[in-house]
Amino acid sequence: MKVSRRATFNAAHRLFRSDWTDEQNSQVFGKCSNPNYHGHNYVLEVWLEGDINPETGYVIDLKTVKDVINSEISDRFDHRNLNLDCPEFAELNPTAENIALVSWNLLRAKLPMHLALTIKLWETENNCVEYAGN
Amino acid sequence: MKVSRRATFNAAHRLFRSDWTDEQNSQVFGKCSNPNYHGHNYVLEVWLEGDINPETGYVIDLKTVKDVINSEISDRFDHRNLNLDCPEFAELNPTAENIALVSWNLLRAKLPMHLALTIKLWETENNCVEYAGN
Amino acid sequence: MKVSRRATFNAAHRLFRSDWTDEQNSQVFGKCSNPNYHGHNYVLEVWLEGDINPETGYVIDLKTVKDVINSEISDRFDHRNLNLDCPEFAELNPTAENIALVSWNLLRAKLPMHLALTIKLWETENNCVEYAGN
Amino acid sequence: MKVSRRATFNAAHRLFRSDWTDEQNSQVFGKCSNPNYHGHNYVLEVWLEGDINPETGYVIDLKTVKDVINSEISDRFDHRNLNLDCPEFAELNPTAENIALVSWNLLRAKLPMHLALTIKLWETENNCVEYAGN
Amino acid sequence: MKVSRRATFNAAHRLFRSDWTDEQNSQVFGKCSNPNYHGHNYVLEVWLEGDINPETGYVIDLKTVKDVINSEISDRFDHRNLNLDCPEFAELNPTAENIALVSWNLLRAKLPMHLALTIKLWETENNCVEYAGN
Amino acid sequence: MKVSRRATFNAAHRLFRSDWTDEQNSQVFGKCSNPNYHGHNYVLEVWLEGDINPETGYVIDLKTVKDVINSEISDRFDHRNLNLDCPEFAELNPTAENIALVSWNLLRAKLPMHLALTIKLWETENNCVEYAGN
């Protein structure tokens, strides 16, 4: 049985490798590398898989998942500039893939280990990534 | 090849164990255990996996799936109080997980056995469960 | 200039006139009058119209609107049985129209009078009402 | 890590086997076999699975996926009659399943082979198919 | 107080004036004039405005509106070719505007005259028309 | 008859008055004034009202509206930092209200004057503004 909780956060970012020049970044990442940043309303879906607890009928109380998303993701990334405000992306290009990777690790550390974790992250209504660990 | 059909139904419920007091239920389930019930517009997605029938080009006629959802799920749960009107939940706490479990069993009994069955159930736009049998 | 804020709440209700018998209610309101209640995920959109404040660039800070929706609507109706838990509907049939009427009056009393107020309320993804006062 | 790109196209079709009579087609496919065709806004989601390229932080630049969807799917099927305009369906009944099958093969030929490909295709907001090759 | 009911129908069409050549039609209407037709999942929202009936708490029972939409719109246009199957468009170009005009007139004739009627019609998720009579 | 076209663009912004200190901006605008910017996927709906052209059956060819949105809005604001990259907001706080005001003026100058113009702009799925000129 899998359960999921959805949340949103708004952030600015720029696709950018700090070891490349602006020209190199612009050639590879196009307008996504605009030096002054652009932004998104990110939508995050957190999925947990495990058995139903016969006591409660829950796999996990989604209120708990909501609280972990708030403390680990929203408080960290919402209304932030991912490149400038978030040490996680000081050396890591904040593509949707890397944001998913970082978010998965942050969530994994705070959610019960007996539940398998998968996340989906929409950058726009047309672009989405999914990560389940490796 | 997987195919799916979506449907909706509206129901009232209360998270509640009949062997617990209202206080115990309230402690564990919070406002979801309000003794007078609250409700949801549930959204159900029924997925079936199998080979394409070379005769028709269908895995299964989704009209059939629609009819089975109507008779097994909508007629049973739509505009009902899950705790009071539905014997399935007389002794079973109607969490989204348990509603998915019950729905899966009801659908499994009426849909062709050569097609693997998975269902997704949204309780709100933020909360979702998925079940594929065990 | 109009601005809006969206919110959701989950509630049980029953279409019911207390001065009619269950039979009469059932004849007029059909399965919406199930004596044990059913429920919905209501979606509320609150619109305010007025001039932009040249100081802030806001018509109104939507954080204020969010707080008023929380205190006046969500705290009152979310995870409640509208017929049993909410005195507003003790004598008033909780149709979408009447819920909109009651909500509009509650919001009107707490939002700045120089801003015209209109609300939209979705009962399901197919049914919606809109009210702008009279 | 999986990434996806969404696109839409509008097309007419008729469920129809050319080796059956109109009556036979109508018996099996009902109103979906109306001889004068009907149509849909198809929504396509293209998923690719593979490792993040450490150089770019991408699994694949979704701009590339967008371009392949445009040249292979939109240019071929958008604003077309699938039965009459598209040789792919001259002998193949254009069910959602078969459109997915054909689209998957067209996309597979143009997308990097080290990335696993899955597609989802919505025919309406209630009907969807998913295909990952065989 | 305004109330609305949403419905969907699928149809093929071609933007086409019968008194123009295919070339002229193609020049003005582009790929929307493909001689073999293309299609859409149309979404229709029917709005009625009037006073709440104090007896029922309804402006109008939306079940009635649903039935009128079914008999006047869905039964007439769903799974049809608007140009070939629907006499309404034999001489009238089935643009979204004209479909809205025709639908409004069909609905107006069957819905209570004391309720003002407005309709919205989505041709795609990006294109919409609204008509309130003239 | 009203017709509309929807489009999206992604941008970074910061609620900020250049004649206030960061502290003053932070007090009034909260986390929306983060000095390093945050961002949104803006959704824009452009509505035009007028008579149907009896020649074409269009109020206006939405392809034209699409092109004007691209040249006036998307090319100007998409993947930009509204505060730093867009002279329109050098002295004007880029609230949703002011973005709507600026966008309306840009669109008004390029769309036929006999058609009344209204726009809706979603900053998030919960926050929206509407402007029809003054």
Side-chain angles (χ1 to χ4, degrees):
Chain A
M1 180 77 62
K2 298 176 190 170
V3 299
S4 77
R5 176 78 194 171
R6 195 182 76 111
T8 63
F9 61 94
N10 311 319
H13 78 153
R14 171 196 186 186
L15 296 192
F16 178 70
R17 284 183 58 117
S18 51
D19 56 339
W20 288 0
T21 64
D22 270 11
E23 285 70 30
Q24 284 178 292
N25 276 292
S26 178
Q27 266 185 318
V28 175
F29 299 120
K31 61 183 180 177
C32 298
S33 196
N34 168 20
N36 287 331
Y37 311 97
H38 65 284
H40 299 291
N41 302 333
Y42 292 92
V43 178
L44 177 69
E45 219 173 76
V46 175
W47 285 86
L48 291 165
E49 180 170 12
D51 293 330
I52 298 183
N53 177 335
E55 186 90 1
T56 58
Y58 285 151
V59 170
I60 183 174
D61 187 345
L62 286 176
K63 175 72 171 61
T64 308
V65 182
K66 181 186 180 185
D67 291 345
V68 171
I69 297 173
N70 275 341
S71 64
E72 293 309 304
I73 306 298
S74 306
D75 288 355
R76 201 179 302 256
F77 299 145
D78 189 36
H79 283 76
R80 292 290 197 294
N81 182 308
L82 299 178
N83 304 71
L84 299 182
D85 297 330
C86 301
E88 293 82 0
F89 300 104
E91 302 293 319
L92 184 68
N93 193 5
T95 57
E97 288 91 331
N98 280 334
I99 301 171
L101 193 67
V102 166
S103 298
W104 190 91
N105 285 318
L106 288 165
L107 292 164
R108 180 67 290 175
K110 301 288 183 181
L111 289 166
M113 287 307 296
H114 69 286
L115 299 175
L117 172 66
T118 303
I119 66 173
K120 293 182 77 168
L121 181 74
W122 283 263
E123 196 173 64
T124 69
E125 63 184 4
N126 291 328
N127 294 4
C128 184
V129 304
E130 182 178 324
Y131 186 61
N134 61 352
Chain B
M1 181 77 61
K2 299 176 191 170
V3 300
S4 75
R5 175 78 194 173
R6 196 182 76 111
T8 63
F9 60 95
N10 311 319
H13 79 152
R14 171 196 186 185
L15 297 192
F16 178 71
R17 287 184 58 117
S18 51
D19 57 338
W20 288 0
T21 63
D22 270 11
E23 286 70 29
Q24 283 177 295
N25 276 291
S26 176
Q27 265 185 319
V28 175
F29 299 120
K31 61 183 181 178
C32 298
S33 197
N34 168 19
N36 287 332
Y37 310 98
H38 64 285
H40 298 291
N41 302 333
Y42 292 92
V43 178
L44 177 69
E45 220 173 75
V46 174
W47 285 88
L48 291 164
E49 181 171 11
D51 292 330
I52 298 182
N53 177 334
E55 185 90 2
T56 59
Y58 285 150
V59 170
I60 183 173
D61 187 345
L62 286 177
K63 175 74 170 59
T64 308
V65 182
K66 182 187 180 184
D67 292 344
V68 170
I69 296 174
N70 275 341
S71 64
E72 294 308 304
I73 306 298
S74 305
D75 288 355
R76 201 180 302 258
F77 300 146
D78 188 36
H79 283 75
R80 293 291 196 293
N81 182 309
L82 299 178
N83 304 69
L84 299 182
D85 296 331
C86 302
E88 293 83 0
F89 300 105
E91 304 292 318
L92 184 68
N93 192 6
T95 57
E97 288 91 332
N98 280 334
I99 301 171
L101 193 67
V102 165
S103 298
W104 190 91
N105 284 318
L106 288 165
L107 292 164
R108 181 66 291 175
K110 301 288 184 182
L111 289 165
M113 286 308 296
H114 69 286
L115 299 175
L117 172 66
T118 303
I119 67 174
K120 292 182 78 168
L121 180 74
W122 282 263
E123 195 173 66
T124 69
E125 63 183 3
N126 291 328
N127 293 4
C128 185
V129 305
E130 182 178 324
Y131 186 61
N134 62 350
Chain C
M1 181 76 62
K2 299 176 190 170
V3 298
S4 77
R5 177 76 194 174
R6 196 181 76 111
T8 63
F9 61 94
N10 312 318
H13 79 152
R14 171 196 186 185
L15 296 192
F16 178 70
R17 285 184 58 117
S18 52
D19 56 338
W20 288 0
T21 63
D22 270 11
E23 286 72 28
Q24 284 178 294
N25 276 292
S26 178
Q27 265 185 318
V28 175
F29 299 120
K31 62 183 180 176
C32 298
S33 196
N34 168 20
N36 286 331
Y37 311 97
H38 65 284
H40 298 290
N41 301 334
Y42 291 92
V43 178
L44 177 69
E45 219 173 76
V46 175
W47 285 88
L48 291 164
E49 180 171 11
D51 293 330
I52 298 183
N53 177 333
E55 187 88 2
T56 58
Y58 285 151
V59 169
I60 184 173
D61 187 344
L62 286 177
K63 176 73 171 60
T64 308
V65 182
K66 182 186 180 185
D67 291 344
V68 171
I69 296 173
N70 275 342
S71 64
E72 295 307 305
I73 306 298
S74 305
D75 288 355
R76 202 179 301 257
F77 299 145
D78 189 36
H79 283 76
R80 293 290 196 293
N81 181 308
L82 298 179
N83 305 70
L84 298 183
D85 296 332
C86 301
E88 294 81 1
F89 300 105
E91 303 292 318
L92 184 68
N93 192 7
T95 57
E97 288 93 329
N98 281 334
I99 301 171
L101 193 68
V102 164
S103 297
W104 190 91
N105 284 318
L106 288 166
L107 292 164
R108 181 67 291 177
K110 301 289 184 181
L111 289 166
M113 287 307 297
H114 69 286
L115 300 175
L117 171 66
T118 303
I119 66 173
K120 292 181 79 168
L121 180 75
W122 283 262
E123 196 173 65
T124 69
E125 64 183 3
N126 290 329
N127 294 3
C128 185
V129 304
E130 182 178 325
Y131 186 61
N134 61 351
Chain D
M1 180 79 60
K2 299 176 189 170
V3 300
S4 76
R5 178 76 194 173
R6 196 183 76 111
T8 63
F9 60 94
N10 311 319
H13 79 153
R14 170 195 187 187
L15 297 192
F16 177 71
R17 286 183 59 116
S18 51
D19 56 338
W20 289 359
T21 63
D22 269 11
E23 286 71 29
Q24 283 178 293
N25 276 293
S26 178
Q27 264 184 320
V28 174
F29 299 121
K31 61 183 181 177
C32 297
S33 196
N34 168 20
N36 286 331
Y37 311 98
H38 65 284
H40 298 291
N41 301 333
Y42 292 92
V43 178
L44 176 70
E45 218 174 77
V46 174
W47 285 88
L48 291 164
E49 181 172 9
D51 293 330
I52 298 181
N53 177 334
E55 187 89 1
T56 58
Y58 285 151
V59 170
I60 183 173
D61 187 345
L62 286 177
K63 176 73 171 57
T64 308
V65 182
K66 181 186 178 184
D67 291 344
V68 171
I69 297 174
N70 275 342
S71 64
E72 295 308 305
I73 306 298
S74 305
D75 288 355
R76 201 180 301 257
F77 300 145
D78 189 35
H79 283 76
R80 292 291 197 294
N81 182 310
L82 299 178
N83 304 70
L84 298 182
D85 296 331
C86 302
E88 293 82 359
F89 300 104
E91 304 292 319
L92 184 68
N93 192 6
T95 57
E97 288 91 331
N98 280 336
I99 302 171
L101 193 66
V102 165
S103 298
W104 190 90
N105 285 318
L106 288 166
L107 292 164
R108 180 66 291 176
K110 301 288 184 181
L111 290 166
M113 286 308 295
H114 69 285
L115 300 175
L117 172 66
T118 303
I119 67 174
K120 292 181 79 168
L121 181 74
W122 283 263
E123 196 174 64
T124 69
E125 62 183 5
N126 291 329
N127 294 4
C128 184
V129 305
E130 182 178 324
Y131 186 60
N134 61 352
Chain E
M1 180 77 61
K2 300 177 190 169
V3 299
S4 77
R5 177 77 193 172
R6 195 182 77 111
T8 63
F9 60 95
N10 311 320
H13 79 152
R14 170 195 187 188
L15 296 192
F16 178 70
R17 286 183 59 116
S18 52
D19 57 339
W20 288 359
T21 63
D22 270 10
E23 286 71 29
Q24 283 178 294
N25 276 293
S26 178
Q27 265 185 318
V28 175
F29 299 121
K31 62 183 180 175
C32 298
S33 195
N34 168 21
N36 287 331
Y37 311 98
H38 64 284
H40 298 291
N41 301 333
Y42 291 92
V43 178
L44 177 69
E45 219 174 76
V46 175
W47 285 88
L48 291 164
E49 181 172 9
D51 292 330
I52 298 182
N53 177 333
E55 186 89 0
T56 58
Y58 284 151
V59 168
I60 184 173
D61 186 345
L62 286 176
K63 176 73 171 58
T64 308
V65 182
K66 182 187 180 185
D67 291 345
V68 171
I69 296 173
N70 276 341
S71 65
E72 295 307 305
I73 306 300
S74 306
D75 288 355
R76 201 179 301 257
F77 300 145
D78 189 36
H79 283 77
R80 294 290 197 294
N81 182 309
L82 298 179
N83 304 71
L84 299 181
D85 296 330
C86 301
E88 294 82 1
F89 300 105
E91 303 291 320
L92 184 68
N93 192 5
T95 57
E97 289 91 332
N98 280 334
I99 302 171
L101 193 67
V102 165
S103 298
W104 190 91
N105 284 318
L106 288 166
L107 292 164
R108 180 67 290 176
K110 301 288 184 181
L111 289 166
M113 286 306 297
H114 69 285
L115 300 175
L117 172 66
T118 302
I119 66 174
K120 293 182 78 169
L121 181 74
W122 282 262
E123 196 173 64
T124 69
E125 63 184 4
N126 291 329
N127 293 4
C128 184
V129 304
E130 182 178 323
Y131 186 60
N134 61 352
Chain F
M1 181 77 60
K2 299 175 190 170
V3 299
S4 76
R5 177 77 193 172
R6 196 181 76 111
T8 62
F9 61 94
N10 312 319
H13 79 153
R14 172 197 186 186
L15 296 192
F16 177 71
R17 286 184 59 116
S18 52
D19 56 338
W20 288 0
T21 63
D22 270 11
E23 286 71 29
Q24 284 177 294
N25 276 292
S26 178
Q27 265 185 318
V28 174
F29 299 121
K31 60 184 181 178
C32 298
S33 196
N34 169 19
N36 287 331
Y37 311 97
H38 65 285
H40 299 290
N41 302 334
Y42 292 92
V43 178
L44 177 70
E45 219 173 75
V46 175
W47 285 88
L48 291 165
E49 181 172 11
D51 293 330
I52 298 182
N53 177 334
E55 187 89 2
T56 58
Y58 285 151
V59 169
I60 184 173
D61 187 344
L62 286 177
K63 176 73 170 61
T64 308
V65 182
K66 182 186 180 183
D67 291 344
V68 171
I69 296 174
N70 275 342
S71 65
E72 295 307 305
I73 306 298
S74 305
D75 288 355
R76 202 180 300 258
F77 299 145
D78 189 35
H79 283 75
R80 292 291 195 294
N81 182 309
L82 299 179
N83 304 71
L84 299 181
D85 296 331
C86 301
E88 293 81 0
F89 300 105
E91 303 292 319
L92 184 68
N93 192 6
T95 57
E97 288 91 331
N98 280 335
I99 301 171
L101 193 67
V102 165
S103 297
W104 190 91
N105 285 318
L106 288 165
L107 292 164
R108 181 66 291 177
K110 300 289 183 181
L111 289 165
M113 287 308 296
H114 69 286
L115 299 175
L117 172 65
T118 303
I119 66 174
K120 292 181 79 169
L121 181 74
W122 281 262
E123 195 173 65
T124 69
E125 63 183 3
N126 291 329
N127 293 3
C128 184
V129 304
E130 182 178 325
Y131 186 61
N134 62 349

